[in-house]
Amino acid sequence: MKSIVNYEQALKLLKAGKLVALPTETVYGLAGRIDDEKALKKIFQLKKRPFFDPLIVHCYDKKQALSYLSEKQPLIEKIFDEFTPGPLTLVAKKNNKISSLITAKKQTVAIRIPKHPLIKKILKQLAVPLAMPSANPYGKVSPVKSQHVLSSFKNQIPVLEGGFCQKGLESTILKIDFLKKKLLILRPGIITKENLEKFLIKYQIGFKVKYKKDPFQPGGGTSHYKPDSAFYIIESEKTEKEIKSFISKKFPKKILKKLNLSLSSQKTAREVYSQLRELSKNKKSIIYVQKKSHQKSGLWDTIWNRLEKASSGYFKFF
């Protein structure tokens, strides 16, 4: 079996209970049928992912997604209508059609309706949702192109070629607290806090949007998205020359590599994982990035969430 497969081959493999890496609008995912326990266990095994970290279930459309939930709330449907298909994952109470292996024995399931045309086509033909975390070893940098998957798994996983992922960062994970009337962002993503607030205003929904840390949701750990080289965040308004001098003194005999962030948060989101992978090819490198005061709110919150989890440390000086 070739590492890169076409649509018909990918569909055939998934129908047979095999794993295939599929493109989405966010990152490439390692996909297996949710009704095949062997496939689910293989996902955890290949990624070296702990079983306490639940998987995200990818559905074809709203109707299919709702069929796996025990909660029947108008707000859930409205959120699906507004933000999907797209980069939003909703955590809600599951019914008994969802394996506890997927949910880490929780009574909730994380469900997403992706937008990429290839995975939409796969999900429609398969007629079964797919469990699909990012297609990389656990805790490492997520893949945004097929070559990243091939490199991470040494050509062992068949990959459906879908080009460069347009968004470049994982989905927003959202949970609704109906009692306290809050939308809780468990993991920031492409759908930002500001996007959700505008949605609430648009439909005159009396909820508030809050961030909430949850280490037992996908990507919820304090350390994640790690490149192969040491990576440090420098919070400073000093010149690049001064920062390079500072880093050189901290880490003599290391090769300094700078992670460059675009002025555009969308462009940065799309390219940041590729840059981290490229810069860490030499294990003797020290990668650093300068965090500036203007890089706040919106998609920058998501970018810095990922970079802080990926970092080996943090230096602050002015």
Side-chain angles (χ1 to χ4, degrees):
M1 175 61 69
K2 293 181 180 179
S3 296
I4 296 292
V5 296
N6 62 30
Y7 169 80
E8 288 77 15
Q9 290 171 319
L11 185 60
K12 184 178 179 180
L13 287 166
L14 289 165
K15 283 182 175 179
K18 305 298 183 183
L19 302 187
V20 181
L22 300 177
T24 77
E25 70 275 22
T26 56
V27 299
Y28 276 76
L30 184 60
R33 300 169 60 109
I34 70 163
D35 60 353
D36 189 318
E37 194 157 296
K38 285 185 179 179
L40 296 174
K41 288 180 178 177
K42 188 72 172 176
I43 291 173
F44 285 98
Q45 177 190 340
L46 279 172
K47 281 181 62 71
K48 298 181 180 177
R49 184 186 184 99
F51 284 100
F52 65 73
D53 196 344
L55 304 175
I56 295 177
V57 172
H58 290 64
C59 293
Y60 171 67
D61 60 10
K62 182 181 77 170
K63 182 180 179 181
Q64 188 180 63
L66 292 173
S67 74
Y68 290 92
L69 301 181
S70 63
E71 288 182 291
K72 307 299 179 186
Q73 295 279 357
L75 182 54
I76 290 176
E77 292 200 42
K78 196 170 283 291
I79 286 171
F80 277 137
D81 288 338
E82 186 76 9
F83 295 109
T84 68
L88 182 124
T89 297
L90 186 66
V91 175
K93 290 180 182 177
K94 74 179 186 73
N95 60 28
N96 58 13
K97 293 196 289 184
I98 294 286
S99 166
S100 62
L101 187 59
I102 291 171
T103 65
K105 299 182 178 179
K106 292 175 179 289
Q107 293 306 305
T108 55
V109 61
I111 285 192
R112 167 159 135 71
I113 304 168
K115 191 175 184 179
H116 194 288
L118 282 176
I119 189 173
K120 291 288 288 181
K121 190 177 176 184
I122 288 273
L123 287 166
K124 185 176 184 179
Q125 290 299 313
L126 196 62
V128 174
L130 293 168
M132 195 167 69
S134 55
N136 56 283
Y138 183 73
K140 291 295 186 178
V141 181
S142 298
V144 293
K145 58 183 181 178
S146 58
Q147 189 56 46
H148 295 161
V149 183
L150 298 175
S151 175
S152 291
F153 291 108
K154 303 186 187 307
N155 295 345
Q156 293 178 340
I157 302 297
V159 184
L160 176 59
E161 178 60 66
F164 204 107
C165 297
Q166 289 300 306
K167 301 299 183 184
L169 294 176
E170 299 80 1
S171 62
T172 304
I173 298 182
L174 188 70
K175 187 175 182 180
I176 308 171
D177 186 332
F178 289 101
L179 196 61
K180 296 182 179 178
K181 293 190 174 183
K182 292 179 181 179
L183 299 185
L184 302 173
I185 298 175
L186 306 183
R187 179 180 72 184
I190 300 299
I191 306 297
T192 66
K193 182 173 184 282
E194 290 79 1
N195 295 145
L196 292 164
E197 287 171 339
K198 286 178 183 178
F199 158 74
L200 293 174
I201 292 168
K202 177 181 175 181
Y203 292 104
Q204 298 181 324
I205 300 168
F207 277 58
K208 292 185 177 180
V209 184
K210 300 289 183 183
Y211 290 109
K212 182 179 180 181
K213 291 183 180 179
D214 186 342
F216 301 108
Q217 293 296 339
T222 55
S223 178
H224 219 65
Y225 318 109
K226 293 282 187 181
D228 291 333
S229 297
F231 167 53
Y232 289 88
I233 295 172
I234 313 297
E235 186 171 349
S236 176
E237 297 296 331
K238 290 187 178 291
T239 66
E240 186 171 335
K241 183 178 179 180
E242 290 171 314
I243 290 171
K244 287 185 77 170
S245 175
F246 173 81
I247 293 288
S248 296
K249 289 175 184 176
K250 287 280 184 184
F251 303 100
K253 299 181 181 179
K254 291 287 186 177
I255 303 167
L256 301 189
K257 298 285 183 71
K258 184 182 180 183
L259 175 66
N260 291 300
L261 306 183
S262 168
L263 292 175
S264 162
S265 57
Q266 287 86 359
K267 191 171 188 290
T268 295
R270 188 169 185 265
E271 296 176 352
V272 68
Y273 283 158
S274 282
Q275 270 205 72
L276 281 175
R277 282 175 174 268
E278 187 64 31
L279 293 173
S280 64
K281 283 183 176 178
N282 187 330
K283 305 300 186 292
K284 295 180 180 180
S285 298
I286 290 286
I287 307 168
Y288 71 95
V289 65
Q290 185 178 6
K291 185 175 184 179
K292 296 185 178 181
S293 57
H294 73 274
Q295 295 166 341
K296 293 179 180 178
S297 73
L299 194 49
W300 286 113
D301 284 343
T302 301
I303 293 165
W304 285 109
N305 168 271
R306 302 303 193 270
L307 292 178
E308 285 163 8
K309 287 175 184 284
S311 75
S312 309
Y314 201 100
F315 296 109
K316 187 173 182 178
F317 70 102
F318 294 91

